[in-house]
Amino acid sequence: MADDTLILHVEDNFENRMLVRRLLLSEGYQVTEAEQATQALEILKTTRPALILMDINMPDMDGYTLTNTIKTMPQMAGIPIIAITANVMKGDREKTLQAGCDGYIEKPIDVDRFLEQIERFLHQFAQH
Ligand code: MN
C-alpha cells in the first residue's frame, strides 16, 4: 500500500539512522528503517514507501546492488531511490546513477539542507 509520507531508510550505521529519523520525524514524515539490504527487501514485500534513502556501503549487499534489485521489482516502479553516500571520489556519483539511483545526497548529511533536499526529491518524482 502506498504511503505519501513514508520513507524507507536503508543504513547500517546506528547514528546515521538516528539522525535521519530525528530530522524526518520533525517534519512529519514516517520512517521505516533497514539495517541491511536483506531487511530492506523484506520490508518492501509489504510496504510501498514514497521514497527510499539508500546507503551504499553495507555488510551484506552494497547499495548499488540493492538499488538494482529493487528497480527490477514491478511493484516498486516509480519509487525514487536516493543514495546517501560518502563516496565522493570522481565517478562515484555516476556509479549511483548507473545503478538506478534517482539522485544522491552527500555524507556527512547537512542538517540545515537535508529536509529541503528530501522535499525536492519528493516533488521531482511525485506520482500523479
Ligand atoms: Mn554504511
Side-chain angles (χ1 to χ4, degrees):
M1 196 173 297
D3 188 322
D4 290 347
T5 66
L6 181 65
I7 294 178
L8 169 61
H9 186 201
V10 188
E11 166 65 80
D12 61 320
N13 179 278
F14 175 79
E15 289 183 4
N16 289 344
R17 288 201 307 277
M18 290 306 105
L19 173 61
V20 166
R21 167 177 288 272
R22 178 171 63 77
L23 292 170
L24 291 175
L25 291 180
S26 76
E27 194 68 10
Y29 294 108
Q30 293 179 272
V31 186
T32 186
E33 294 165 341
E35 294 179 40
Q36 49 186 339
T38 46
Q39 191 185 356
L41 291 171
E42 198 60 38
I43 289 170
L44 289 172
K45 284 180 181 172
T46 55
T47 308
R48 187 184 160 85
L51 185 85
I52 299 172
L53 295 174
M54 180 69 69
D55 183 27
I56 296 300
N57 301 311
M58 291 182 291
D60 61 337
M61 181 192 296
D62 68 52
Y64 304 120
T65 307
L66 179 57
T67 296
N68 251 312
T69 302
I70 294 171
K71 288 293 184 181
T72 64
M73 300 162 68
Q75 70 274 29
M76 294 296 122
I79 300 177
I81 301 180
I82 306 303
I84 301 185
T85 177
N87 300 339
V88 290
M89 302 261 296
K90 190 176 189 308
D92 282 339
R93 294 172 178 178
E94 288 75 9
K95 206 171 164 189
T96 64
L97 301 180
Q98 279 165 13
C101 292
D102 299 286
Y104 58 83
I105 292 173
E106 279 179 21
K107 267 184 191 172
I109 286 168
D110 182 342
V111 294
D112 294 325
R113 290 188 57 228
F114 181 71
L115 290 170
E116 173 195 318
Q117 292 171 307
I118 295 297
E119 177 73 20
R120 183 162 46 81
F121 283 124
L122 281 171
H123 186 258
Q124 181 182 348
F125 296 102
Q127 295 173 67
H128 301 285

